Amino acid sequence: MSKILKIVALSFVGAMLSGAAYSAGSTPLGIPDNTSATADQPSAKRPVITPSSIGFGAYDPHGDFGDDKNSKVEHLFLPWEDVELASLTLADEYALKRGRTLLISVEPWSWSPDWRISSPQLLQSILSGERDVYMAKVCTEAAKLKSPIIIRWAQEMDETDNQFTWAHWKPEEYVQAYQRMVRICKEHLPSAKYMWSPKGNEGLQAFYPGDEYVDIVGLSVFGYQKYDQAKKGKPLSFSESLAPGYQRVKGFGKPVWVAELGYDGDASYIRDWAENVAKNHPEFPDLKTVVYFNDREVYPWPDGFGKPEWRVVNAPTN
């Protein structure tokens, strides 16, 4: 089996594992625990926010940032099949109470254990219009919400060594699919902003769908000390980790967010990242917001590095 076929096959496993882990209530991933006992628990791992910091938010299913007045973005993930979209109102009420924007990552797959579709089949079904109804349903439901909305569709399309079925399309195919889905969503949710969100890899520019389809560019930045040391020969700082992707997207002239952020390592490594992720870095003038991924990694990292623990609070519910 070729490497690509192996990766695509693993994407099916990833989708099913995601479903097994999260689909019991068929609710979007990330609706925070409104009764969290750790919302105000001190932690040296929490990003340091000061009056001069850039924007900050979190994917926060445990509610660890529930009482954090610095958090202005609530991040959710949902597939466009087998999910209870009406439950978005729970996240909306939570975000509205705290004055937060909802960042909704729409992943074009299903949590159903019966879901079997190849990467080419998914692409064809989108381009043929067969999936228009799925995006229309998501955006119609989101249009009922009162919080500001950002839609992030099919992220990390430039990273083929991952679990995402859509990360195996040619750039021109991805662009067609992304444009179609944004057009569909705008018909039902004209007030939303739209985030195009590559991983940050070399060649990502070929996947850019055009200025009229992008309001914000998102990147993913994770610092894992063991991985840095093994693969890069030294622990990397936040700036070193962000710089390659930032340099590749800055020419688009759009606000840049780190849509997924996490870090883990020894105390010194964590302290360095925590103190720097939300700083106003002059070398990154377009960087406006960072959004922390406050949970354990869902999918194992390659080469036996396991599932890093990004969560800022050590608790039995980890």
Side-chain angles (χ1 to χ4, degrees), residues 89-105:
T89 57
L90 298 175
D92 186 42
E93 291 168 0
Y94 186 93
L96 200 64
K97 183 178 178 180
R98 293 161 176 79
R100 297 175 182 174
T101 293
L102 284 177
L103 170 59
I104 304 175
S105 288

Side-chain angles (χ1 to χ4, degrees), residues 278-294:
K279 275 187 176 178
N280 202 330
H281 295 273
E283 68 270 35
F284 307 130
D286 295 327
L287 181 63
K288 304 303 180 183
T289 297
V290 295
V291 183
Y292 198 82
F293 188 91
N294 189 43

